Amino acid sequence: MAKFVVEFEYNVDRAGREPLHRAHTDYLRSLTDSGVLLLAGPLQDINGGLLMYEAEDREHLEKILAAEPYIQGGIVCHVRVRQWAPGKGTLIAVREPSAA
C-alpha cells in the first residue's frame, strides 16, 4: 500500500464550507474506519487542509478524492498530491511490532 499526502486549498472561507461540512466529516470518518485515511486536519497558514491516505496506488487515491464532498461541491480550488514514504518518527515507531 502506498501513502499519499494531499493538500486541499479552498476557494471559500469556513462559513462557505459549512453546507458541505457534515458530508465531508462523514466521508472522512468512513475512510478512517476503513483504514484509508491516516491523518487529516486544517492548515493554519492557508485556507486549506492536509490529509494523509493509504491506498493501493495513485489511481485508487484519485477515485477516493473524486468522491470527496468538498471536491464534488466545487469548494476545493487546488489539490496537491504527493506520494510519501515515511520512515522515521513517533508514528512509525507506534506502528512497528514490538520486539518480544
Side-chain angles (χ1 to χ4, degrees):
M1 297 290 264
K3 291 181 180 59
F4 297 90
V5 176
V6 178
E7 183 179 326
F8 287 170
E9 188 173 337
Y10 308 120
N11 57 18
V12 296
D13 63 10
R14 186 172 181 88
R17 294 192 303 272
E18 191 58 37
L20 294 172
H21 185 70
R22 178 60 174 224
H24 167 73
T25 58
D26 288 348
Y27 185 62
L28 294 184
R29 187 174 298 111
S30 73
L31 294 174
T32 299
D33 291 346
S34 66
V36 172
L37 181 65
L38 305 177
L39 293 169
L43 291 167
Q44 300 299 302
D45 61 340
I46 67 165
N47 183 20
L50 191 67
L51 307 99
M52 189 167 92
Y53 297 90
E54 189 167 58
E56 296 169 24
D57 54 29
R58 176 78 180 242
E59 183 178 334
H60 186 237
L61 176 69
E62 294 293 340
K63 290 176 184 174
I64 292 166
L65 295 177
E68 161 61 54
Y70 278 0
I71 290 176
Q72 289 182 342
I75 63 173
V76 176
C77 62
H78 180 73
V79 178
R80 182 175 188 182
V81 177
R82 294 174 137 172
Q83 190 165 348
W84 187 42
K88 295 174 181 55
T90 57
L91 290 177
I92 297 300
V94 169
R95 297 187 96 192
E96 291 177 355
S98 60

